[in-house]
Amino acid sequence: MAYLKPTVSIIVACYNSQSTIARTIDSILAQSFKNWELIIIDDCSTDNSASIIKNYADNDSRIIYLKTSRNTGAPSSPRNIGIKNASGLYIAFVDSDDMWLPDKLQQQIQLIEQNNYDLVYSHYEKVNNKYKRNGRIIKTRHKTTYNDLLKSNHIPFLTSVVKRSAIGETLFKNIPQEDYCFWLDILKKGITAHNLCKVTALYRDSKSSRSVNKWQMAQGFWNVIRKHQNIGLLRCWYYMINYTIAGFLKYIR
């Protein structure tokens, strides 16, 4: 079924995800909320990802396949292409190896529209490399302001839904922890993000994940708050301590 104007534009950056992308797409097709478009941006994959995505797109006009002109090596540029091509009132993001639970969009859109929120997120559950669920629930703040976010990234990327108008001209920077900087740039406008406080997504805890290297993550965090948010040195150290504690608590779950 085709929708002339989708309510939600779902953006997925994809690179060599032939073993996982079908699960991600299937979880979106299973959504109880149906008025969406799925924009998948292929960063010049060298595996079978493109043919898998195109097969889905051939069978559902809501699924749109786009491709970068060259491999960019990071999700920032593909996501920005997705934002620029999105036609929905809301934007949602998910990675090409994560999954949504069936009522994610329905519950979050309802939360946004009942309260006139600009940005919502939720809890999520970590699953292993084979998507086995073990009840590893990651909970975060009930609501998040810019100052809250400076201490740690409380907005799980795969659970987010944001108004297109709140994004405005904001785009992802081509830096480590680009999603964290993106949320900071949005909340810096005076926006508060709100948590549905339910599990809506499954995060695949893969050893190949970019988040595995904790030292690089810490360096990326410092770079975001010091260079791109222009936070003073003493405050940076304060936020760094908060980030380290929050990261440790998240890691042990």
Side-chain angles (χ1 to χ4, degrees):
M1 179 182 291
Y3 293 87
L4 295 179
K5 189 171 180 56
T7 302
V8 183
S9 296
I10 305 162
I11 295 173
V12 178
C14 173
Y15 177 71
N16 285 358
S17 301
Q18 65 177 14
S19 63
T20 60
I21 189 63
R23 287 179 182 265
T24 302
I25 296 172
D26 285 341
S27 75
I28 294 168
L29 289 170
Q31 290 297 298
S32 55
F33 185 92
K34 301 297 184 183
N35 196 4
W36 49 259
E37 65 178 0
L38 172 59
I39 306 174
I40 306 177
I41 307 91
D42 177 18
D43 197 19
C44 295
S45 295
T46 57
D47 65 359
N48 201 38
S49 296
S51 61
I52 294 171
I53 300 165
K54 289 176 181 178
N55 183 59
Y56 277 97
D58 288 343
N59 290 282
D60 194 317
S61 61
R62 295 173 296 175
I63 300 175
I64 301 165
Y65 173 82
L66 299 176
K67 185 177 180 180
T68 56
S69 58
R70 59 178 179 81
N71 175 255
T72 65
S76 298
S77 293
R79 288 173 185 162
N80 288 338
I81 291 171
I83 290 173
K84 292 174 182 178
N85 284 274
S87 57
L89 180 63
Y90 305 104
I91 305 290
F93 300 97
V94 62
D95 285 337
S96 59
D97 61 348
D98 296 329
M99 297 174 62
W100 285 352
L101 299 183
D103 291 328
K104 177 192 187 293
L105 286 180
Q106 185 70 48
Q107 293 175 332
Q108 290 186 302
I109 295 301
Q110 184 177 27
L111 179 67
I112 288 176
E113 295 188 341
Q114 286 180 346
N115 298 279
N116 195 29
Y117 291 154
D118 290 299
L119 169 58
V120 300
Y121 56 99
S122 72
H123 304 328
Y124 65 96
E125 181 178 345
K126 283 187 176 182
V127 296
N128 69 12
N129 200 45
K130 298 185 182 299
Y131 295 92
K132 182 178 180 181
R133 299 179 66 175
N134 294 302
R136 299 167 64 195
I137 308 301
I138 306 300
K139 297 182 179 180
T140 185
R141 297 180 61 91
H142 285 199
K143 66 178 181 178
T144 301
T145 65
Y146 178 74
N147 286 331
D148 296 326
L149 199 64
L150 283 169
K151 298 176 183 178
S152 183
N153 189 357
H154 301 292
I155 304 176
F157 190 70
L158 74 163
T159 72
S160 59
V161 179
V162 57
K163 282 184 178 178
R164 183 67 180 83
S165 58
I167 294 177
E169 300 302 314
T170 303
L171 293 173
F172 289 91
K173 296 180 173 68
N174 190 24
I175 58 173
Q177 296 213 30
E178 73 291 329
D179 55 333
Y180 178 45
C181 195
F182 182 74
W183 296 136
L184 283 167
D185 287 341
I186 290 176
L187 266 57
K188 199 172 186 178
K189 303 172 185 178
I191 290 169
T192 297
H194 296 267
N195 193 343
L196 177 68
C197 295
K198 295 180 181 179
V199 174
T200 67
L202 305 179
Y203 173 84
R204 183 171 176 262
D205 198 6
S206 169
K207 290 183 179 180
S208 63
S209 170
R210 291 185 303 154
S211 63
V212 168
N213 191 318
K214 303 304 178 185
W215 173 243
Q216 288 184 355
M217 290 288 288
Q219 288 180 309
F221 174 83
W222 180 271
N223 181 60
V224 166
I225 62 173
R226 182 76 173 127
K227 180 178 179 181
H228 295 280
Q229 299 301 317
N230 299 310
I231 302 300
L233 188 59
L234 289 178
R235 286 181 68 200
C236 275
W237 281 114
Y238 166 73
Y239 291 132
M240 193 73 200
I241 292 170
N242 280 272
Y243 167 83
T244 302
I245 294 171
F248 173 75
L249 294 175
K250 186 185 294 185
Y251 175 75
I252 64 176
R253 292 175 187 171

